Amino acid sequence: MVTKQKILIVDDDVNIAELISLYLTKECFDTRMVHDGEAAIKEFDMYEPNLILLDLMLPGIDGYQVCREIRAKSNVPIIMLSAKGEIFDKVLGLELGADDYIMKPFDSKELVARVKAVLRRYQPVKTESESPDIKRVTFPDLIVNLTNYSVEYQGQVIDMPPKEIELLFFLASSPNQVFTREQLLDHIWGYDYVGDTRTVDVHVKRIREKIHDHAKWSIATVWGIGYKFEVRE
């Protein structure tokens, strides 16, 4: 029997939460609903979801704080839900570790498509013996493995959400090639992402906070254009 993927829905509006649950249940997901931040944190540990749909405006502990606390212990994909449309709110959510951001009101097909797209990018860890086609790039003090979604930096495994790993792998797979922010949005997010190019900047910033420039390589900003993974002899 195929195990259903589990979605934790966190929204203080019971009607919206039930509507989301209905959409996802029809797509053969298992869902669980909570309606405040404290309950979300408790339920996360018990339910162990594959993905979280997290409303920002929650009573008590808000969605931003919930995201912080979950990110401190897990890289589970998080899609934030909010009626807020300001760029600041989107960027803050992404900086805290969210993988995507959906505006309310949303289309049911778009919601389901985004959930599926994020889950496709978050693959369970596989050993090299389980998969002969290893997607991996190796540089001095850096190994980025897209097969099992892992990053090793200076001999240590670095915790990164799926989007950051995909972005780093994509750049590192084409050393010294310059990519515009629009190209990176298209390649990494992969579907009609409703956002702006600052999303790329936020993810690059988070990667740089975890792995620092090396004598042999770095993530270089090409001013006015985008980024490249620069390799030096």
Side-chain angles (χ1 to χ4, degrees):
M1 180 181 294
V2 177
T3 302
K4 292 183 178 181
Q5 291 183 297
K6 298 184 290 186
I7 312 294
L8 178 61
I9 302 166
V10 186
D11 198 309
D12 63 331
D13 188 319
V14 176
N15 291 329
I16 291 178
E18 290 179 345
L19 190 60
I20 293 172
S21 178
L22 178 63
Y23 295 150
L24 295 175
T25 301
K26 286 182 177 178
E27 297 293 327
C28 296
F29 290 104
D30 182 79
T31 66
R32 189 166 296 182
M33 296 174 285
V34 294
H35 307 297
D36 63 74
E38 186 175 353
I41 294 169
K42 292 179 180 178
E43 195 65 34
F44 171 76
D45 292 327
M46 294 186 290
Y47 186 49
E48 297 182 345
N50 299 102
L51 181 144
I52 302 171
L53 286 168
L54 176 63
D55 186 33
L56 291 181
M57 307 306 291
L58 297 170
I61 303 174
D62 65 18
Y64 294 119
Q65 185 60 33
V66 172
C67 186
R68 286 190 191 96
E69 296 201 21
I70 289 176
R71 272 290 166 263
K73 56 187 176 183
S74 173
N75 282 329
V76 65
I78 297 174
I79 299 178
M80 285 190 165
L81 306 173
S82 177
K84 289 189 172 184
E86 293 80 4
I87 294 299
F88 171 79
D89 297 299
K90 294 180 182 179
V91 171
L92 179 57
L94 293 168
E95 285 183 335
L96 292 175
D99 296 276
D100 204 348
Y101 195 109
I102 300 179
M103 295 292 301
K104 295 178 181 179
F106 47 79
D107 178 79
S108 60
K109 292 181 180 179
E110 179 190 0
L111 175 71
V112 172
R114 291 197 180 211
V115 166
K116 289 181 176 179
V118 170
L119 285 170
R120 279 198 301 269
R121 290 171 171 79
Y122 189 79
Q123 301 296 325
V125 174
K126 300 176 183 177
T127 63
E128 295 192 8
S129 61
E130 291 175 318
S131 176
D133 300 318
I134 304 300
K135 294 182 179 180
R136 179 175 60 193
V137 290
T138 302
F139 297 92
D141 291 323
L142 179 67
I143 300 173
V144 186
N145 191 325
L146 199 61
T147 302
N148 63 11
Y149 274 69
S150 66
V151 175
E152 291 184 33
Y153 173 62
Q154 295 183 340
Q156 301 294 320
V157 176
I158 305 298
D159 288 332
M160 281 191 188
K163 284 286 198 308
E164 293 176 28
I165 296 175
E166 290 170 11
L167 179 56
L168 178 58
F169 179 84
F170 182 76
L171 289 169
S173 296
S174 301
N176 297 319
Q177 181 174 342
V178 178
F179 293 97
T180 67
R181 290 170 174 82
E182 290 79 7
Q183 287 174 320
L184 294 172
L185 273 175
D186 181 61
H187 280 284
I188 305 306
W189 278 257
Y191 51 97
D192 294 330
Y193 182 73
V194 182
D196 60 57
T197 55
R198 288 188 61 185
T199 299
V200 176
D201 297 334
V202 169
H203 282 75
V204 169
K205 176 185 175 184
R206 281 161 42 186
I207 293 170
R208 284 171 168 165
E209 289 171 350
K210 298 170 184 175
I211 61 170
H212 305 294
D213 289 350
H214 192 277
K216 296 290 187 181
W217 52 263
S218 65
I219 301 173
T221 300
V222 182
W223 297 108
I225 301 177
Y227 298 97
K228 67 176 179 177
F229 189 87
E230 187 173 51
V231 175
R232 297 176 284 274
E233 295 296 333

